[in-house]
Amino acid sequence: MSPTALALVLAAACCHAAWNILAHGVSRIGIPFLWWGAVAATLVWLPLVPATGGLGEARPEDFALGVAVSALLHCGYMLVLQRGYARGRLSTVYATARGTGPTITVIVAVTLLGERPSPAAFGGIAVILAGIVAIGLLDRERGAAAASGLATASAPAPASGPSPRPRSGRILGVRLDPGIAWGLATGVAIAIYTVWDAHAVREWAIPPVAYMVGCTLGEIVLYAAMLGRRRSELLPVMRRHWPRILLFGALSPLSYILVLVAVTMAPVALVAPMREVSVVLVSLFGAIVLRESRPGWRLAASALVVGGIALLAL
């Protein structure tokens, strides 16, 4: 991977970590915040479209199809991600999602797009994913133990007779951590939109800034259709959270624009895992600011991610 592509992906990771931390703080607001985020993103980035190549050489029908599908995929991703942040720990959801997404993306890039990373790059991908999965699983045992303890404390003493059958949603008494479950769902969404967007930008020669603005315009329409009776919440949300909305609107598209530029310089099978250095930043935030459990283990798992990135850069 070239130094330019590497710098773009690392910058994208920093932006990505920042906007996810912002999104986690307002995860329970949901669609009203996401609608404002799409509006802010469009207003911030639309004036830059002419200076960044406009529509480039893309045909209007290709551009329309690309952004329409991408807007649907990104809306689904944002809704699942917000739901995950409302149900689970920040670093658990984020790490599980960012590990699942690149894994699927690499498989698709190799099997369907014909990309062939070097052996060192494959090693780096494996190390990065191992570190990400480790971060995502750190809270699983503690969360399951806590839930088991609460259930034991609140349950009445069993009567004599046959043991009760396990409740639905459990397998042999083990319940999947909701942060991991929603993280896995988010990872699938990440893989789908990453492969589609890489195809649109590469094959149809759509400039990344115009592509992202088209997507955010589509998101405005889609989120507006989902608001329903929650339209009355829009003004209160804007008045209370406008600084966060503006930052979200600037950083969320920027993080992905940098990735889209990078995939025009390097294989998506390398770009997708390398951008997950953002997991390290989110893990640090979770350990230091949110005081999530096992900070030492989180940092050790994050070091694996850094080591994998070093292998990718060879």
Side-chain angles (χ1 to χ4, degrees), residues 78-189:
M78 282 292 189
L79 291 172
V80 174
L81 179 67
Q82 287 275 301
R83 181 65 173 171
Y85 282 157
R87 295 290 305 278
R89 294 177 177 86
L90 169 64
S91 59
T92 300
V93 175
Y94 189 84
T96 306
R98 305 315 301 183
T100 306
T103 303
I104 301 173
T105 301
V106 170
I107 293 171
V108 172
V110 171
T111 58
L112 298 183
L113 303 183
E115 296 184 358
R116 293 294 180 267
S118 68
F122 271 121
I125 291 169
V127 172
I128 289 173
L129 295 179
I132 291 169
V133 171
I135 295 170
L137 295 177
L138 277 174
D139 291 321
R140 183 176 182 178
E141 291 182 1
R142 179 168 292 192
S148 175
L150 287 173
T152 302
S154 59
S160 59
S163 299
R165 299 180 65 180
R167 295 180 181 178
S168 60
R170 293 176 181 266
I171 301 175
L172 300 178
V174 177
R175 182 172 179 268
L176 185 65
D177 185 290
I180 295 175
W182 284 102
L184 291 172
T186 306
V188 173

Side-chain angles (χ1 to χ4, degrees), residues 1 5-6 8-17 19-20 74 77 94 97-98 101-102 105 128 132 189-191 193-195 197 251-260 262-263 268-282 305 309 312:
M1 182 179 288
L6 176 62
L8 288 172
V9 176
L10 293 179
C14 293
C15 294
H16 198 276
W19 79 251
N20 271 267
H74 280 265
Y77 157 70
Y94 189 84
R98 305 315 301 183
T105 301
I128 289 173
I132 291 169
I190 290 170
Y193 79 64
T194 298
V195 173
D197 292 343
L251 292 175
S252 178
L254 176 59
S255 68
Y256 202 52
I257 287 169
L258 295 173
V259 168
L260 292 177
V263 298
V268 67
L270 299 185
V271 173
M274 181 169 288
R275 64 187 291 216
E276 309 316 335
V277 67
S278 57
V279 170
V280 179
L281 304 175
V282 172
V305 178
I309 291 168
L312 281 177

